[in-house]
Every structure is written in structure tokens, then in C-alpha cells.
Amino acid sequence: MCRLLGYAGPAIALERIITRPSHSLLKQSQHAHEAKLAVNGDGFGMAWYTGQDAEPGLYRDVLPAWSDGNLPSLCRVIRAPLFLAHVRAGTTGGTSRSNCHPFVSGRWSFAHNGQIAGFSELRRALEADLPDHLYALRQGTTDSEILFLTMLDEGLDDDPIGAVARAIARIERMQGGGAPNRITCVLADGSRIIGVRHSGDGHAPTLYVSAGVLDHGGRALASEPLDGCAANWTALPEGGVVILSADAMEISSLPGLADRAAA
Amino acid sequence: MCRLLGYAGPAIALERIITRPSHSLLKQSQHAHEAKLAVNGDGFGMAWYTGQDAEPGLYRDVLPAWSDGNLPSLCRVIRAPLFLAHVRAGTTGGTSRSNCHPFVSGRWSFAHNGQIAGFSELRRALEADLPDHLYALRQGTTDSEILFLTMLDEGLDDDPIGAVARAIARIERMQGGGAPNRITCVLADGSRIIGVRHSGDGHAPTLYVSAGVLDHGGRALASEPLDGCAANWTALPEGGVVILSADAMEISSLPGLADRAAA
Amino acid sequence: MCRLLGYAGPAIALERIITRPSHSLLKQSQHAHEAKLAVNGDGFGMAWYTGQDAEPGLYRDVLPAWSDGNLPSLCRVIRAPLFLAHVRAGTTGGTSRSNCHPFVSGRWSFAHNGQIAGFSELRRALEADLPDHLYALRQGTTDSEILFLTMLDEGLDDDPIGAVARAIARIERMQGGGAPNRITCVLADGSRIIGVRHSGDGHAPTLYVSAGVLDHGGRALASEPLDGCAANWTALPEGGVVILSADAMEISSLPGLADRAAA
Amino acid sequence: MCRLLGYAGPAIALERIITRPSHSLLKQSQHAHEAKLAVNGDGFGMAWYTGQDAEPGLYRDVLPAWSDGNLPSLCRVIRAPLFLAHVRAGTTGGTSRSNCHPFVSGRWSFAHNGQIAGFSELRRALEADLPDHLYALRQGTTDSEILFLTMLDEGLDDDPIGAVARAIARIERMQGGGAPNRITCVLADGSRIIGVRHSGDGHAPTLYVSAGVLDHGGRALASEPLDGCAANWTALPEGGVVILSADAMEISSLPGLADRAAA
């Protein structure tokens, strides 16, 4: 179980979301309220879009967020209109930078909280199912990285929501159906943040959406409400998808999966 | 607040105390029971005496104990009749190896859980009070390292218990008395482990002693009982000192301080 | 012996100076031409001014520049009109982030290549000479950090060149004169880069200045010419000071020291 | 290009081979004489057999050997009759502990200097060729780790020399023959050290064998002679295999490959 967030809106210093709110991601790394494991000390990562480069900046380290001396400075001076961040509590894969989220490919970035059921038995088949150019991108050993590569294979660029749904469906077919996967994830492509919450057993990790704009005018997604940023926070239901951009927020259902997921 | 332990007895693989017991130091690093801060993820360290070298081996890293891939292997193959280990939750000083415990000088090693009250104001005076050869050993920025250097200055080699008491008294004189210091520490010199528990406000961190021998015949001190190692564990009272060796355990009071400390 | 650089000019991605030129700082970290030690693998650091914050962003890590996976991404997306960078080959002080350059205080940043002669004997006196508020900033164990704190004590804000000269003079007085110090350093305050080259024995590490503007219109200082950035590079003589800003470059002599330094 | 060594003989402190000789592995990490790349700063690792455990102890870190503060202490107090060590200059795979040598499985440890030609195109086929239980062990992204897993698949336990030859032959078949692979590696199983030198183009990295016993009575293999340990050092020819144990040294040829390799 990890903690994650995404932001879209006016360009702000990353610290205004990641480190400063009274229940910021940094605080959640030490004292998560709504997670099975209260500590997320197996690494930190963030991907941000500057508006000048299509590909996001990426910073990941294996130190806990609270003890990385570079983090406060980077979050103070880096400003971005769109970014993701993640604190990790390792389930599969050792502690290394290549197992830290977000994972990035081209203009896409991805962070995940949850797990693919029975991953150690499934890893090889999932990897074998990737085309060569995505197989070659595999750097670590996590289920999350493969989930992202599978989404890319299903066509994130052309139909992101459909690709997410098809990637999950592909995995469930390999599992023979009925597997208790728990997938709460955020994706970004430079113009919007996509949040998804899906499970096979009704226990997908929480994901909250700022129903209105935050104090500084943007919108956010987070594993737990970022108290101190105002805005009402509402829980995304299982099977739900949310698309955030600087000026809009739209909630829908994951196509073809919503009916199968426990709410 | 940190977690620490010391062991003296038959040579055993370090894992039998540090990683394997059901409430091992490794477990305490993630789920401390009797600490204000439940997580001790700001580094790990251990010092061990092989019997062949007067100076202990020293291993310290800034990763949380639970995510350091080297630790399980080192603890599995290194065997020692006497060792200390420590997991850190930083209070003063950033996360760096030079701020990780144990601190080592010659045959002495030292690990600390607690804090010197008002340390940031006191740091300079404490450093200025050290003789040149000890001042030159200062590597980090913690109160714990200075506490150790002050003990060395007070004569650890000739009279360890007296040196501990005089070091605490020196600090309290500089503070003008009455400061709410909290000092629970362990020292080792290759032949014995010394545990001390002292505070100015009755809130010294806990320290437990194995009243009998453990399953494998040794004795231990730990911030919390190492369930799964058997032996009865008794709490050391404030103002108390315990000396452990392979075949004896002796509890006494810190000279000249016991009367001033709240029990 | 380390390698360092400073840039002032139009805002550019840091990579255009730090990682991309054919003899970039990154390349110099592996194959320095004009250094006694060809490898600078004991850490990397950079400080950059965004124009929006008075205090610079700071990033330092103990990994060699060439193996830090975060560096290429940070240097690709971070743009700044003024920045310093440094690769370290440790002489005094262990490998830790707090011993990596640049050192930062308020709006000032500082990176150094060289050494204070007889530093281990002089360390205590130099630290004792600092006022409390600067003493409290001491985080590591290098001579470079103390040199910076001494410059701050001598009044960097009001008279930077004078403060540099007085700091060096203070150290030389403590040494009794004639010590073979070697000090090649760069400072920045957000509006200009100051480069200094001084020694007591005529062997100050090299420092080159771009005599004209680089391909992208800025100016730079570097331990070795950044081939691939064009502009003519000229060596700063010993005893020389150079001040770079976005639109000017001025070379002078360190007051009161130039006459004593071997050219 | 990396540097590596192996030792078999009386139990000695690891430092007597790894850090103390005048041309020790530590020195070779900074100033290799017979390597294309003079610096080996992308990590360090060692595996040692205590005689009490079948599986070796394993220590790996991404810091350069010369800046890892734990290394001198570990090498001073750990004594072993058989060990391998390796300093890395990364060719394929990023800098992470899981890409550092030695690789270990059961009682086998393995360190490699060289490269599989065209590895990025070959990676997927080589991984696909592994049985499930070995595929599951894959932690990193290097060619060296796959080479080791392929050797395990070919039966290291029953016929180590044959397994090495068959693993190389399997790779060469996949390459279609004639590939300029360069494989200089050492393996250990707790009772002996095996050194192999093979290439497809006559440019396998060097491997030297101590023809007689060293000052402390053991034998060693190393990328470059460990001056300061005495004993005559002889170069292993390409296509050669050497087996070292505490009391014997035997040189032979890699079966079925010697004829194809340039000498």
C-alpha cells in the first residue's frame, strides 16, 4: 500500500501539494490514515510537466520522503501546472530507484497503489505478452511497472480510458477471472490527470478528488484528502474514473469493468 | 525516539537477535510499541566484536532497516559474542551515515535513544568543552555523538559507569540544572554491554533486560522485549545501570544521579 | 581536486552546460584533463536561481554524477538564468550529502576546488572563530564549508570581493602565513557569478572564463573549457577575480592578496 | 569493463586482498592499468564463505568502493577462506544494487567482467530461454546476471566447467555465431574458485592467477596482479579455465570452445 497524488491547475511550487498541506503526501508517508500499512518509507518519486517539454521531469529516490534532504528544495523551486507524486510501501520488488514510482514513458507518467493478485506466478506471462519495444523498457521487478507497460501496449495515446480498461481485462483473463486485484492509479500525459479505482474484491485503495478548486485554484487527486488545501474532497467509487485538467473535472466509469467491480 | 539493543553471550548469528525474533529490532523499526514515534526509518547501524579484533566491526546505512538489502545477508553470516544495534528516528541532525548510531572510538561503541534538552543552543558549548583529540573525531551533527565524545572525555576506559555519570552531570551543569534530558543508551567495549536509563523528567525511553538467559544462552538489552527469544524481560528503572557479560548480569544505580532522577 | 562551473545568461536547460557539451562537467567527472586526480566520483551538486525565489534550488547526491539516474532528467527540465555545479573528489571529509558542494546560505551559493593547507590542525580554530549563527549552520566536516562560512562572516552581502579576500586573509593569519593554500571557487547570489583563483604556492586549480558569449548567449566559468559550447576560453590568472552576469564580464584582482600570490 | 578477484586459502581478513595490497581491488577501482575504462565507480560487491553456512554472505552497494564508509570496516573484521569481490563500470543496466556483482544463488556466487555482444537485442530471447524457477530470480537488467542464470540452467552443480561452456555456447547459438562476446568471470561454490576467460574476438579482459601462494598462504585470481601480496602472477590465456582451492591450482581449457577462441 502506497500513497499517491496528482495535480492540475495553475503552475504552483510542488511543495504546496507535496510537502506543505497539513495532511500532505509527506505527512501521509509517515502517518497514513486510510491504509493497511501506516508507513510508506520505501522510496519517493514525482513526475512534473513544465509546459516546455513534452516529457515530464522525473525524480525518484529510495530514501523515505521524510529523510531525503533534496526533496524540500526541489519542491520549493520547481513549479508546474501538472504533476504526480508517490510514496512507496514495497509489496513486490526490492527497494531500488527502478522500482519507485512514477514510471515514465514518452509523455506518460504513472503511479500505482495496489497489487496484481498472484503476481509472482503471473510475472513471466505478463512480460511475455509485451511487444519487444515495451519489453525493452522494463527496468525493475514490480507489478506496477508491468501494469503501466500493458496499458501502453493497449494504446494509452489513442484511447487512455479504454487502454486502462483493456489492460486490466488482459490481466484478469490471464488470471482466469475473479482475482482479487486492487488497482488505484493515476496517469498523466501533460494535459490531464487520470485517476482510476478498480478491484476484484471491493477493496481498492482509496482515492479522493477535490470537488472544487483548491486554495490556489487547481484540482487534485490523492489517496487521502490533503487537509490544508481546502476544497471538498469526495471519494471516487470503485470502478470509477476521474479526468482532471486545469479547468475541468469529469467522473465516469471504467468501461466494461464497472459492472464487474464491487462498489 | 529510536530503538536499540545489545547482546552478550555465546557467539550467534546477528539475525537471531536483530531480524528473526517475533518482535525483533527490525520489527520494532516498523511497529514500535513503546515509543512516541512508531517508525524508526532514518537509518540503521550495528557494531560487533569478533573476539579477534579489539575494535568492533561497524555497519551503518541511511536506508530504513527493512529496506536495506544487505542487512539480511550480513546478519545471517556474521556471528559475534557481543554486539549493539540501533534503528534511528532522527530528532537532531539530518539523515546521513555519520549521524547513524552506533558511534565507535577505539574499542568502545555507543548507541543512544533520547535527547539532550535544548541541544541546538548547547551544541557549541558542548563541542568547545572537548579536548582536541576528541573534537577531531566529530563527524556528524547529533547530540548523541557529542554525548559519546563527552563520555570518552570523562574516562570510559578507566571507569565506565563513573564516566557516564560525569558526562551527564557535565551536560546538566551547562544547562543550569533541571533540564528534561532523556538518555537511554548502551555502550560496549568488547567484553561487556552497559545499559543506562536516565532522565530529568521521568520520561527516559524504556530499556528492558533479559532476566534469564535467552533460548541460545545469551543475555540482551533492548528498547522493547524481543519476543520469540524467551527469557523474562524486566524494565530497567530510571537512574538504573545494567552491566551484561556472557555469564553475568548486574543492575545498579548511576552514581550521584539516581537521587535526582524521577523513578 | 574537484571540477566546478558557473553560468549566467539567458535561462537555459541546465543540461546545456552540465551534461551535453563535449567536455561537459559530467565528462570532466570521469576524465578531467587538468587535475591531479582524473576522477571526481565523490558526489555531485548544483544550485540554481529561478528568478522567482531569492534562495536557490539545491540538489546534491553522493553518487558519481555519471551514475545518478535523476541527474539527466533534472538537468533536462530545469531551466535557469544562473547556476553553479560541482563534482567532488574528496580530500577532507567523508562521502555524505552534507560534504557535497554547493553550500548554500540565504541567497548565496558556493562551490570550491582546492584545499586549506593543514586543515585538520586548523579546523577547530576556524570553527571557533565563527559567530554563533554561522557555527549553527555547520553540517559537514569539509574545509570548503568553513571557508564559505568564514566568507559569510566577513560580509558577503555588503562587499563580496572584499569578504572573500578577508576570509582568505583570516585563514592565512591563523596559519601564520606562507601556507600553500589552493583556493579556486565560485559564488553566486542570484544576480551574478563570482570566480576566484588564489594560492599560496602558485598551484591554484585552473579556472577558465568564456571570453565571449556561448552558443546560447550566456557566459560561463569552468575548471576546464566546456568544448562544444563555443566562445573563447581564457584562463583566470592566480590572484584574479571574475564577475559574470547575464550581460557583462569583469576581471580584476583580489584586493590585498594579488601581490602575495604567485601568478 | 570491471575489475574482479577471487581468493581461496587460509581464512584471512578480506582487507588483505581487497583493500590493502599496493595494487588492491580498491586501488584498481580508481586506477585500473589494463582496462579500457580506468575508473570502476559504479558499485562494489563481495561474496564470502564462512565455512559455517553453505550460502555466502553478500554485500553490494552502488557507491564507488573508495567512498563507501562501510567497506573498510567490513573488510577488516570479516575473515573468510574463500571469497569473490567486484568493482563495476556499468555497460548495460543502470546503477542499482541489483545490477551489482556478485550475483548469488544457493551456494554459487558469480562476478563478471566483459559483455555479451548485442545484448539489448538478445535480452528477451535469453530471458525467455530460462526455466521458470530461474526466470523468477531475475532482479536486474544486466547481461551478467543472465549469463549466470544461464550457467545455473546448464547445471553448475553437477558439472561447473561444462555448464559454463554450454551457457556460452547457448548464447553464441542465439547470436548465430561469430559474435565478439568478451567473458572473463569468476565463480565460487564454497570450496573452490573457478576463473574463465573467453572471447569471440581475442579481446577478453585480463585475468591473472597467483602461480604460487601469496604471503599469507592462499591463492588468488584477479583482473590485475595484486602487487604487495607477492607470488608470481601469470596471465590466464583466452579459452582458459583455472580452478583454485585452498591447496591446489589447476589450469585447463574450456571444453569445446578453446579451439574457436582467439588465444
Side-chain angles (χ1 to χ4, degrees):
Chain A
M1 288 301 154
C2 311
R3 302 282 90 181
L4 49 75
L5 63 74
Y7 170 85
I12 56 170
L14 305 190
E15 68 179 4
R16 295 186 66 175
I17 294 287
I18 295 178
T19 57
R20 272 212 219 146
S22 60
H23 195 57
S24 70
L25 190 71
L26 185 66
K27 303 264 169 41
Q28 291 179 35
S29 74
Q30 288 184 283
H31 304 287
H33 293 159
E34 307 188 43
K36 284 195 298 184
L37 193 58
V39 187
N40 294 272
D42 298 340
F44 169 86
M46 58 191 188
W48 65 100
Y49 297 84
T50 61
Q52 296 184 274
D53 306 271
E55 294 185 22
L58 179 64
Y59 176 73
R60 303 188 291 185
D61 204 358
V62 295
L63 284 174
W66 66 79
S67 76
D68 179 355
N70 286 316
L71 200 54
S73 182
L74 292 173
C75 287
R76 180 173 56 77
V77 299
I78 295 176
R79 283 172 175 74
L82 200 82
F83 55 89
L84 302 182
H86 184 272
V87 288
R88 183 166 181 253
T91 48
T92 67
T95 300
S96 73
R97 284 187 184 173
S98 53
N99 283 343
C100 288
H101 309 219
F103 300 98
V104 167
S105 175
R107 62 191 174 99
W108 286 98
S109 58
F110 171 81
H112 176 227
N113 176 13
Q115 56 189 49
I116 296 178
F119 175 66
S120 60
E121 287 72 40
L122 208 59
R123 173 184 166 192
R124 181 167 203 164
L126 287 168
E127 291 179 349
D129 219 36
L130 295 171
D132 285 353
H133 71 285
L134 293 173
Y135 189 92
L137 297 181
R138 177 80 160 148
Q139 296 297 317
T141 56
T142 62
D143 53 354
S144 301
E145 188 189 24
I146 290 185
L147 178 57
F148 178 48
L149 295 173
T150 303
M151 289 175 181
L152 287 166
D153 191 24
E154 291 288 349
L156 269 185
D157 276 326
D158 298 326
D159 170 19
I161 308 296
V164 168
R166 289 189 295 273
I168 294 174
R170 184 200 292 190
I171 292 167
E172 294 188 344
R173 274 197 309 277
M174 287 190 185
Q175 290 167 323
N181 298 314
R182 295 170 184 178
I183 295 171
T184 295
C185 62
V186 290
L187 293 121
D189 67 353
S191 64
R192 66 207 145 155
I193 304 279
I194 299 168
V196 173
R197 192 162 170 253
H198 165 78
S199 83
D201 63 358
H203 293 296
T206 54
L207 189 63
Y208 288 84
V209 189
S210 62
V213 293
L214 305 173
D215 291 347
H216 30 71
R219 295 168 187 278
L221 288 173
S223 293
E224 302 183 19
L226 304 167
D227 297 336
C229 284
N232 293 314
W233 293 85
T234 58
L236 185 72
E238 293 221 2
V241 176
V242 57
I243 302 180
L244 278 192
S245 61
D247 44 22
M249 192 263 288
E250 182 191 343
I251 293 184
S252 60
S253 291
L254 208 52
L257 284 167
D259 48 330
R260 304 208 313 262
Chain B
M1 286 300 155
C2 311
R3 303 282 90 180
L4 50 74
L5 63 74
Y7 170 86
I12 56 170
L14 304 190
E15 68 179 4
R16 296 188 64 173
I17 294 288
I18 295 177
T19 57
R20 272 212 219 146
S22 59
H23 195 57
S24 70
L25 190 71
L26 184 67
K27 304 265 168 42
Q28 292 179 35
S29 73
Q30 287 183 282
H31 305 285
H33 292 159
E34 306 188 42
K36 283 195 296 186
L37 194 56
V39 187
N40 294 271
D42 298 340
F44 169 86
M46 59 189 187
W48 65 99
Y49 297 85
T50 61
Q52 296 184 273
D53 307 88
E55 293 184 22
L58 179 65
Y59 176 75
R60 302 189 292 185
D61 204 359
V62 295
L63 285 173
W66 66 79
S67 75
D68 179 354
N70 286 317
L71 200 55
S73 181
L74 291 173
C75 287
R76 180 174 55 79
V77 299
I78 296 177
R79 283 173 175 75
L82 200 82
F83 56 91
L84 301 183
H86 184 273
V87 288
R88 183 167 180 252
T91 48
T92 68
T95 300
S96 72
R97 282 188 184 172
S98 53
N99 283 344
C100 288
H101 309 220
F103 301 99
V104 167
S105 176
R107 63 191 172 100
W108 284 99
S109 58
F110 171 81
H112 177 227
N113 175 12
Q115 55 189 49
I116 295 178
F119 174 67
S120 60
E121 287 72 40
L122 208 59
R123 173 183 165 191
R124 181 166 202 163
L126 287 169
E127 291 179 348
D129 220 38
L130 295 172
D132 285 352
H133 73 285
L134 293 173
Y135 188 92
L137 297 181
R138 177 78 160 149
Q139 296 296 317
T141 56
T142 61
D143 54 353
S144 300
E145 188 188 24
I146 291 185
L147 178 58
F148 177 49
L149 295 173
T150 303
M151 288 175 182
L152 286 166
D153 191 25
E154 290 288 350
L156 269 186
D157 276 326
D158 297 327
D159 170 20
I161 308 298
V164 169
R166 288 189 297 272
I168 294 175
R170 185 201 290 190
I171 292 167
E172 294 188 343
R173 273 197 311 276
M174 288 189 182
Q175 291 167 322
N181 299 313
R182 295 171 185 179
I183 296 171
T184 295
C185 62
V186 291
L187 293 121
D189 67 353
S191 64
R192 67 208 144 156
I193 304 280
I194 298 169
V196 173
R197 190 161 172 255
H198 166 79
S199 84
D201 64 358
H203 294 296
T206 53
L207 189 62
Y208 289 83
V209 189
S210 62
V213 292
L214 304 173
D215 291 347
H216 31 69
R219 293 167 189 280
L221 287 173
S223 293
E224 302 182 18
L226 305 167
D227 298 336
C229 284
N232 294 314
W233 293 86
T234 58
L236 186 72
E238 292 221 3
V241 176
V242 57
I243 302 180
L244 278 193
S245 62
D247 45 22
M249 192 264 287
E250 182 190 345
I251 294 183
S252 60
S253 293
L254 209 51
L257 284 168
D259 48 330
R260 304 208 311 263
Chain C
M1 287 301 154
C2 312
R3 301 284 91 180
L4 49 75
L5 63 75
Y7 171 85
I12 56 169
L14 305 190
E15 68 180 4
R16 295 187 65 174
I17 294 288
I18 296 178
T19 57
R20 272 212 220 147
S22 60
H23 195 56
S24 70
L25 190 71
L26 185 66
K27 303 264 170 42
Q28 291 180 34
S29 74
Q30 288 183 284
H31 304 286
H33 293 159
E34 305 189 43
K36 284 195 298 185
L37 194 57
V39 187
N40 294 272
D42 298 339
F44 169 86
M46 58 190 188
W48 65 100
Y49 297 84
T50 62
Q52 296 183 274
D53 307 271
E55 294 185 22
L58 179 64
Y59 176 74
R60 304 188 290 185
D61 204 358
V62 295
L63 285 174
W66 67 78
S67 76
D68 179 355
N70 286 316
L71 201 54
S73 182
L74 292 172
C75 288
R76 180 174 55 79
V77 298
I78 295 176
R79 281 172 176 76
L82 200 82
F83 55 89
L84 302 183
H86 185 272
V87 289
R88 183 167 181 253
T91 47
T92 68
T95 300
S96 72
R97 283 188 184 173
S98 52
N99 283 344
C100 287
H101 309 219
F103 301 98
V104 167
S105 176
R107 63 193 173 97
W108 285 98
S109 58
F110 171 82
H112 177 227
N113 176 11
Q115 56 189 49
I116 297 178
F119 174 67
S120 59
E121 287 71 41
L122 209 58
R123 173 184 166 191
R124 181 166 202 164
L126 287 168
E127 291 178 349
D129 219 37
L130 296 171
D132 285 353
H133 72 286
L134 293 173
Y135 189 92
L137 297 181
R138 176 80 159 148
Q139 295 297 316
T141 55
T142 61
D143 54 353
S144 301
E145 188 188 24
I146 291 184
L147 178 58
F148 178 48
L149 295 173
T150 302
M151 288 176 182
L152 286 166
D153 191 24
E154 290 289 348
L156 270 185
D157 277 325
D158 297 327
D159 170 19
I161 308 296
V164 168
R166 288 189 296 275
I168 294 174
R170 185 200 290 189
I171 292 166
E172 293 188 344
R173 274 198 310 277
M174 287 189 185
Q175 291 167 323
N181 298 313
R182 295 171 184 178
I183 295 172
T184 294
C185 61
V186 291
L187 292 120
D189 68 354
S191 63
R192 65 207 145 155
I193 303 280
I194 299 168
V196 173
R197 191 161 171 254
H198 165 78
S199 83
D201 63 357
H203 293 297
T206 54
L207 189 63
Y208 289 83
V209 189
S210 62
V213 294
L214 304 174
D215 292 345
H216 32 69
R219 294 168 187 279
L221 288 173
S223 293
E224 303 183 17
L226 304 168
D227 298 337
C229 284
N232 293 313
W233 293 85
T234 59
L236 186 73
E238 292 221 3
V241 176
V242 58
I243 302 181
L244 278 193
S245 61
D247 44 23
M249 193 263 288
E250 184 190 343
I251 294 184
S252 60
S253 291
L254 209 52
L257 284 167
D259 48 330
R260 304 208 313 263
Chain D
M1 286 301 154
C2 311
R3 302 282 89 182
L4 50 75
L5 63 75
Y7 171 86
I12 57 170
L14 304 189
E15 68 179 5
R16 296 187 66 174
I17 294 288
I18 296 177
T19 57
R20 271 212 220 146
S22 59
H23 195 56
S24 71
L25 190 70
L26 184 67
K27 302 265 169 42
Q28 292 179 34
S29 74
Q30 287 182 285
H31 305 286
H33 293 160
E34 305 189 41
K36 283 195 297 185
L37 193 56
V39 187
N40 294 271
D42 298 339
F44 169 86
M46 59 189 186
W48 65 99
Y49 297 84
T50 60
Q52 296 184 274
D53 305 270
E55 294 184 21
L58 178 64
Y59 176 75
R60 303 188 291 185
D61 205 358
V62 295
L63 285 172
W66 65 79
S67 76
D68 179 355
N70 286 316
L71 200 55
S73 182
L74 291 173
C75 287
R76 181 174 54 78
V77 299
I78 295 177
R79 282 173 176 76
L82 200 82
F83 56 90
L84 303 183
H86 184 272
V87 289
R88 183 166 180 253
T91 48
T92 67
T95 301
S96 72
R97 284 188 184 173
S98 52
N99 283 344
C100 288
H101 309 219
F103 300 98
V104 167
S105 176
R107 63 193 173 97
W108 285 98
S109 57
F110 171 82
H112 176 227
N113 176 11
Q115 56 190 49
I116 295 178
F119 175 66
S120 59
E121 287 72 41
L122 208 59
R123 174 184 165 192
R124 182 166 201 164
L126 286 168
E127 292 179 348
D129 219 37
L130 294 172
D132 286 352
H133 73 284
L134 293 173
Y135 189 92
L137 296 181
R138 177 79 160 147
Q139 296 297 316
T141 55
T142 61
D143 54 351
S144 301
E145 188 189 23
I146 290 184
L147 178 57
F148 178 48
L149 295 173
T150 303
M151 288 175 182
L152 286 166
D153 190 26
E154 291 288 349
L156 269 185
D157 276 327
D158 296 327
D159 170 20
I161 308 297
V164 168
R166 288 188 297 272
I168 294 174
R170 185 201 291 190
I171 292 167
E172 294 188 343
R173 272 197 311 275
M174 288 189 184
Q175 292 166 322
N181 299 313
R182 295 170 185 179
I183 295 172
T184 295
C185 63
V186 290
L187 293 120
D189 67 353
S191 64
R192 67 209 144 155
I193 305 280
I194 298 168
V196 173
R197 192 162 170 254
H198 166 79
S199 84
D201 63 358
H203 294 296
T206 53
L207 189 63
Y208 289 83
V209 189
S210 62
V213 294
L214 305 173
D215 290 347
H216 31 70
R219 295 166 187 279
L221 288 174
S223 293
E224 301 182 19
L226 304 167
D227 297 337
C229 284
N232 293 313
W233 294 86
T234 58
L236 186 71
E238 292 221 3
V241 176
V242 57
I243 302 181
L244 278 192
S245 61
D247 45 22
M249 191 263 287
E250 183 190 343
I251 294 184
S252 59
S253 292
L254 209 51
L257 285 168
D259 47 331
R260 305 207 311 263

